[in-house]
Amino acid sequence: MANMKDVKRRIKSVESTMQITKAMQLVASSKMRKAKERAEAVHPFFEGVFQVMADISRDHEFTSVFTKKKFKNSVLLIVIAGDRGLAGGFNSNVLKLAKAKADAITESGGEAMIMAIGKKAVEYFEKREYKLIDGFPQIAEGIELLDAMMIANNVIEKFKLGDFDAVELVYTTFVSVMTQEPQHLRILPVENLEYLGKKHPMTIYDPSPEEVFDSLIPEYMGGMLYSAIVDSFASEQAARRTAMESASDNASEMIDKLSLLYNRARQAQITQEITEISSASLNDNS
């Protein structure tokens, strides 16, 4: 009897856990859809900015502090991870890539500086011997484009002052509901400005192409940062949805096995009771 009680208690415990995992799966699905919509909404704005910058850079006489290649003595790595766990390998994969990039910079004689976005990224680099210059936990879910612009402006000012020679981004991109891939991307200095859309005749920019280009850098970088944060957030929710779906399936399978075990134990008990009653009846008749 005690064994049956233990099994029944375990069944109830697993059922409670499955209710939680199913709820988390539904929440993650909803948040993932909203994040994808936010990412898609900013694409036309970003593409417009990028097209103007690409048009300006077609002029061979064009120069800007934001396009000059420098020896990478110091690099700012903007690392985007999640704010919570229970998302499979989402956080560990992107942080592993960020660590590899930071270590490669250090081994080549440079200095790696870290700007961490997401609670897990902040915690990871705080506990290790890396130069963490700024951290932004718990901003991904409610971030607006203006918030990303403020972070971008701060980075741009430090870049212009020579605090670092390059800015690189490490985040996770949403490929599909089942697939999310860690990415590494150079932001500053700006390079490979080849717009693949329809080419336009060279435009006359006032007061100068250089000034227009430089004035667009905050929008360019803010758009890049916002897109990466929202993309990463969508990836986190997709990874959590998959993890919770797997956990729910495992819980359901465990419940089936425990129910079978409980039914066998109950059947054995009933059989034993019938045998005992039959034996007692035979003894009385004799």
Side-chain angles (χ1 to χ4, degrees), residues 164-212:
F164 34 79
D165 303 321
V167 180
E168 299 177 0
L169 184 63
V170 180
Y171 72 107
T172 306
T173 188
F174 182 95
V175 179
S176 69
V177 175
M178 299 298 296
T179 307
Q180 303 83 41
E181 295 180 355
Q183 297 287 323
H184 171 253
L185 185 67
R186 167 74 65 82
I187 299 181
L188 294 177
V190 181
E191 54 188 19
N192 299 326
L193 279 172
E194 295 182 6
Y195 185 68
L196 300 179
K198 182 180 178 181
K199 289 190 176 181
H200 301 275
M202 289 295 292
T203 305
I204 298 175
Y205 294 97
D206 184 50
S208 69
E210 288 79 9
E211 289 188 47
V212 173

Side-chain angles (χ1 to χ4, degrees), residues 24-66:
M24 292 180 68
Q25 178 184 340
L26 292 173
V27 170
S29 297
S30 176
K31 289 183 177 181
M32 179 188 69
R33 286 193 296 270
K34 290 178 181 177
K36 287 175 64 179
E37 290 171 1
R38 288 164 63 198
E40 290 169 0
V42 78
H43 282 170
F45 164 79
F46 180 67
E47 285 188 2
V49 171
F50 189 80
Q51 179 181 320
V52 173
M53 292 173 65
D55 284 345
I56 294 174
S57 67
R58 286 166 56 199
D59 186 350
H60 296 297
E61 297 181 359
F62 162 79
T63 59
S64 170
V65 66
F66 296 109

